[in-house]
Amino acid sequence: MAQTLAEKIIARAAGKPAVAPGDIVTCSVDLALMHDSGGPRRVKPILERLGARVWDPTRVIVVTDHFVPVFDSDTAAILDLTRRWVVDQDIRGFYDKQGICHIVLPERGHLRPGLFVVGGDSHSPTGGAFGCFMFGIGATDMAGVLVTGETWLRVPSTILIEWDGRLQNGVVAKDMMLRLCGDLGLDGGGYGVVQFAGPAIESMPMQERMTLCNMTAELGAMTGLIEPDETTGRYLAETGADLDDIMAWRSDPNARYGARHSYYAGSLAPQVAAPHSPANARDAGCFDKVDVDVAYIGACTGAKLTDLRNAARVLKGRKVASGVRLLVAPASLRDRQTAEEEGTLSILIEAGASLLASACGLCAGYGEHRLDADTVCISSTARNFQGRMGTPEAKVYLASPFTVAASAVAGRIADPRDILQDGP
Amino acid sequence: MTGMDAATGGRVWRFGDNVDTDALAPGRYMKGPIEELARHCLETLDSEFAEGVRPGDIVVGGRNFGMGSSREQAVQALRHLGVGVVLARSFAGIFYRNALNLGLMVLVCPETERIANADRLLVDPERGRIENLTSADRICCEPLPAHLANMVRHGGLVPYLERRLRGQACGSSS
């Protein structure tokens, strides 16, 4: 029976020759990812109540990123608890203040094609860029995984989204995802798998592919998925991951999809999603009368090394408009360090950017810094739900790092293609 | 169980499509205890909800209820406030699993437009029946399988596992 990539991974994890959408199966979990907010502080009481320990400490990764940096005794206590728990459970895969979990996980070589992975965070689909079946679960489901090493699921159907052609200069994965949110809606993914394919995807670097899979969460999908290719192989080789026949993990040619959508990348303009929904996406040019106070480049969605480099292409030799605050929170320490070594970071700083900690930060509104009332923000993050990044009166527009940088320079929402054409 | 014995009833708090987890469990209160967080549950959509809701009341949404984060506090806040049932045309995937795991009754109801704010309902989850006492209307929802309804009534997955580990059959104990 012909199967999609998702079905092949689920079948392997369930110990079955094949599965079909709608089947309810129990899968062995290859890897479980947790962060400081939904992780130890939530699962510890459940494990204690059940008198159980983690089934296999080598298959659990813990990253602190939500309450980083700590700013009061409550948040300090949460990080303390996290650190004590990983020691107590003998978990060696612990990354403390190294960046956002979805970026740290692949950069430290924990992902490879064919793995069945759960993450205690809704942006866990990011791992699908590496050909893993990785999806988000809540803390109680996670506790179940930690005790048994298994979880159940209803096999999702796969939606195939093909992108033909090539993106224009200044248009990136984020724009594709905002367009899809606008076209398909925030439940358009139907808790299925969104698999991306086509020439525009094949020519994309890994971190751009991560942005695609990351934002399948905003489409209401269970996860996103991209078949591994040579680009995947090169990235994984650098992280030291095991590379046994990764190319075998692909959909069969005659696999059945729940739906198929075709897009032409070459005609896509930079996208901006108006408050308070990623589905409010339109061409950036429609918003050129909107003045901005804060420009934010941050989060797993929008502050990886590739994102920082794109912002730097716009900001090189330019200054942030007066009255605009440009805040940059690199998604991981390793990406920040590379950006520093290659000069990307100094371009951002010379343009007037303030650097923030490599953590979830403003995106989730957990930290000390939040948007004030009536602030207008343009942000490279994934969600602009009312009140998420600050007060309910704050207005957040979502866009690519290119568009956020161009808007910071213009002082109002701007199409980055105009600046990139001019040259520095 | 017969008739509407298993039913639960209360006042309706009506919301629209795409109620998100930042509205249910705002990030700035995520560091604190659930008592504090629950006081701010849904405040961006209805400032009177958290204070006015009474045990057994019913939250009614449109499509994609609970979209966004995987945070279980979105469910816990509703439970802490005593919400008896959430009805919606559809639920976001992670929220739906979290709700059942934490003992919050969630039912898919294709006809939520026939329910208005402040209506009084009687809901029978296993039979998939809703009686709108205010409009004298009968509405269908997708029934919840008996074993899941039972797990929800016993407080969710952890109490269920506890009972199982103690050797009691959860399915026959009600």
Side-chain angles (χ1 to χ4, degrees):
Chain A
M1 193 175 76
Q3 294 194 98
T4 66
L5 173 54
E7 288 153 13
K8 286 183 184 180
I9 300 173
I10 294 167
R12 198 269 305 148
K16 291 178 181 297
V19 295
D23 293 354
I24 292 181
V25 295
T26 297
C27 292
S28 293
V29 173
D30 296 309
L31 196 67
L33 169 72
M34 286 184 285
H35 55 57
D36 50 324
S37 181
R41 73 167 173 147
R42 306 275 305 165
V43 299
K44 181 174 175 277
I46 301 175
L47 263 57
E48 283 170 358
R49 193 167 157 182
L50 296 172
R53 285 179 64 84
V54 165
W55 97 105
D56 183 351
T58 67
R59 294 183 181 276
V60 179
I61 305 293
V62 178
V63 179
T64 59
D65 58 12
H66 273 62
F67 296 108
V68 173
V70 300
F71 62 94
D72 63 7
S73 59
D74 291 338
T75 49
I78 292 169
L79 284 205
D80 278 351
L81 181 152
T82 306
R83 291 173 187 131
R84 277 186 274 116
W85 188 79
V86 295
V87 170
D88 181 54
Q89 296 290 325
D90 203 22
I91 292 165
R92 310 291 170 86
F94 176 50
Y95 299 97
D96 198 5
K97 300 193 283 186
Q98 297 298 301
I100 303 169
C101 61
H102 307 298
I103 314 307
V104 171
L105 192 69
E107 83 179 13
R108 305 304 169 108
H110 293 293
L111 294 183
R112 62 178 190 278
L115 292 184
F116 184 93
V117 189
V118 296
D121 187 276
S122 60
H123 282 118
S124 298
T126 312
F130 298 87
C132 304
F133 187 86
M134 180 167 181
F135 61 106
I137 58 176
T140 302
D141 264 340
M142 181 59 80
V145 168
L146 294 178
V147 172
T148 64
E150 297 176 342
T151 197
W152 67 270
L153 78 159
R154 188 170 174 272
V155 178
S157 72
T158 299
I159 300 170
L160 187 68
I161 301 186
E162 291 169 294
W163 284 88
D164 201 0
R166 205 180 175 82
L167 289 167
Q168 296 172 38
N169 190 17
V171 184
V172 284
K174 177 65 176 286
D175 300 303
M176 297 162 108
M177 291 314 295
L178 290 177
R179 187 67 260 137
L180 290 175
C181 287
D183 287 355
L184 305 178
L186 300 185
D187 57 357
Y191 205 49
V193 176
V194 174
Q195 186 179 327
F196 298 97
I201 310 300
E202 287 157 20
S203 62
M204 260 183 193
M206 282 317 295
Q207 288 194 331
E208 278 282 275
R209 298 180 186 188
M210 288 165 73
T211 305
L212 291 181
C213 292
N214 173 283
M215 278 195 69
T216 60
E218 279 57 54
L219 288 173
M222 185 175 190
T223 192
L225 206 44
I226 296 173
E227 292 174 339
D229 60 11
E230 284 168 14
T231 304
T232 324
R234 269 197 305 277
Y235 181 103
L236 292 174
E238 280 173 28
T239 68
D242 184 7
L243 283 182
D244 267 5
D245 52 86
I246 62 167
M247 302 305 174
W249 293 105
R250 21 194 0 99
S251 291
D252 291 323
N254 49 347
R256 271 199 241 166
Y257 296 97
R260 291 177 89 127
H261 301 281
S262 293
Y263 279 86
Y264 179 62
S267 59
L268 183 70
Q271 299 291 302
V272 170
H276 298 285
S277 169
N280 295 340
R282 292 163 71 193
D283 290 358
C286 302
F287 297 99
D288 62 356
K289 303 283 190 292
V290 178
D291 293 331
V292 300
D293 307 304
V294 174
Y296 185 57
I297 293 174
C300 50
T301 310
K304 302 175 288 298
L305 181 60
T306 306
D307 301 315
L308 302 178
R309 285 172 177 165
N310 288 342
R313 280 182 54 203
V314 169
L315 292 170
K316 187 167 188 177
R318 296 194 171 84
K319 291 282 182 201
V320 171
S322 70
V324 177
R325 279 190 299 154
L326 173 61
L327 307 173
V328 179
S332 81
L333 275 193
R334 197 172 273 188
D335 277 355
R336 177 182 170 137
Q337 195 181 343
T338 308
E340 193 164 9
E341 286 162 6
E342 70 185 20
T344 296
L345 216 51
S346 62
I347 293 173
L348 304 181
I349 291 166
E350 279 162 26
S354 304
L355 280 184
L356 301 178
S358 291
C360 300
L362 206 50
C363 170
Y366 273 42
E368 201 171 14
H369 302 288
R370 295 169 46 80
L371 298 178
D372 300 330
D374 300 324
T375 302
V376 177
C377 174
I378 187 158
S379 174
S380 69
T381 55
R383 292 179 182 148
N384 57 348
F385 304 146
Q386 189 171 18
R388 177 176 169 87
M389 294 177 71
T391 62
E393 294 78 26
K395 292 186 177 64
V396 179
Y397 292 80
L398 301 176
S400 75
F402 270 127
T403 304
V404 173
S407 305
V409 169
R412 55 182 171 72
I413 292 177
D415 186 329
R417 291 176 300 181
D418 300 336
I419 282 193
L420 290 167
Q421 261 170 11
D422 295 346
Chain B
M1 286 176 235
T2 56
M4 297 287 268
D5 289 352
T8 169
R11 181 221 134 130
V12 167
W13 296 81
R14 190 73 169 83
F15 297 89
D17 291 341
N18 293 315
V19 170
D20 63 80
T21 51
D22 290 285
L24 288 159
R28 71 184 307 178
Y29 305 106
M30 283 288 288
K31 70 186 179 74
I34 192 70
E35 299 77 35
E36 192 191 338
L37 180 113
R39 278 202 290 275
H40 302 280
C41 179
L42 293 171
E43 70 183 4
T44 52
L45 302 177
D46 180 349
S47 57
E48 287 166 18
F49 171 74
E51 205 161 317
V53 68
R54 294 289 169 265
D57 278 0
I58 295 162
V59 167
V60 179
R63 284 165 49 161
N64 204 22
F65 190 96
M67 70 165 182
S69 157
S70 63
R71 62 186 71 158
E72 284 187 331
Q73 287 89 335
V75 171
Q76 272 190 316
L78 293 173
R79 270 211 69 185
H80 184 80
L81 295 171
V83 169
V85 188
V86 182
L87 302 172
R89 288 177 71 92
S90 65
F91 289 91
I94 303 178
F95 180 90
Y96 186 77
R97 274 184 82 132
N98 286 348
L100 299 179
N101 281 340
L102 288 171
L104 176 68
M105 192 69 79
V106 282
L107 297 169
V108 175
C109 173
E111 302 178 303
T112 50
E113 76 278 3
R114 285 162 66 180
I115 304 170
N117 193 41
D119 280 358
R120 298 203 78 84
L121 306 182
L122 211 53
V123 181
D124 184 342
E126 274 112 320
R127 288 162 182 265
R129 288 183 191 163
I130 300 167
E131 216 178 307
N132 191 331
L133 303 174
T134 308
S135 61
D137 192 10
R138 280 175 182 275
I139 303 164
C140 291
C141 64
E142 292 179 12
L144 198 65
H147 72 282
L148 277 178
N150 220 346
M151 181 180 92
V152 169
R153 284 211 184 82
H154 284 103
L157 182 64
V158 175
Y160 169 81
L161 285 176
E162 248 183 350
R163 293 161 70 89
R164 235 179 54 169
L165 292 174
R166 284 207 309 264
Q168 296 179 0
C170 187
S172 61
S173 58
S174 64

